[in-house]
Amino acid sequence: MADLDHIRNQIADISRRIKNVQLSEIQWVVHQLAKNGYRTISKKNDHQHMFFVDGKFFGVCHHNPGEKQIKSCYVKKFLEVMSDLDLYE
């Protein structure tokens, strides 16, 4: 289990490269938050993942064929939610 400082560092790293983030990195953060006592839910379908973290919602669309990176608008929404949870400044 990663401690909250390590999770915050990962979130800050993601924020420095908004256009080069993979879905697996966001999944890792949400998974680690669950291990640290945050209430999380993750649901997916063919086109997107939906995440709920302590009552906050964000989605990540990942249906671009051949692309590993997700679009920056989804990363920005993720960062907005992390900011609301006081995990990112």
Side-chain angles (χ1 to χ4, degrees), residues 36-65:
N36 278 280
Y38 286 80
R39 292 171 292 142
T40 65
I41 300 171
S42 175
K43 296 187 179 216
K44 68 178 183 172
N45 62 28
D46 292 340
H47 298 288
Q48 77 172 355
H49 265 78
M50 296 172 288
F51 298 97
F52 297 87
V53 180
D54 273 0
K56 305 286 184 184
F57 164 79
F58 65 96
V60 177
C61 185
H62 61 82
H63 69 276
N64 294 334

Side-chain angles (χ1 to χ4, degrees), residues 2-84:
D3 63 4
L4 285 178
D5 287 334
H6 182 67
I7 296 168
R8 285 186 179 104
N9 289 337
Q10 288 299 113
I11 295 168
D13 180 51
I14 288 170
S15 74
R16 288 188 290 272
R17 49 187 181 78
I18 288 178
K19 293 186 178 185
N20 190 21
V21 177
Q22 295 182 12
L23 175 61
S24 61
E25 295 174 277
I26 290 178
Q27 289 174 313
W28 182 88
V29 169
V30 172
H31 182 69
Q32 293 303 316
L33 290 174
K35 288 183 174 182
N36 278 280
Y38 286 80
R39 292 171 292 142
T40 65
I41 300 171
S42 175
K43 296 187 179 216
K44 68 178 183 172
N45 62 28
D46 292 340
H47 298 288
Q48 77 172 355
H49 265 78
M50 296 172 288
F51 298 97
F52 297 87
V53 180
D54 273 0
K56 305 286 184 184
F57 164 79
F58 65 96
V60 177
C61 185
H62 61 82
H63 69 276
N64 294 334
E67 292 288 325
K68 289 187 178 182
Q69 288 80 20
I70 56 177
K71 291 188 177 187
S72 61
C73 61
Y74 303 116
V75 178
K76 288 176 184 177
K77 182 62 179 172
F78 162 76
L79 293 172
E80 186 180 303
V81 168
M82 294 300 110
S83 179
D84 289 348

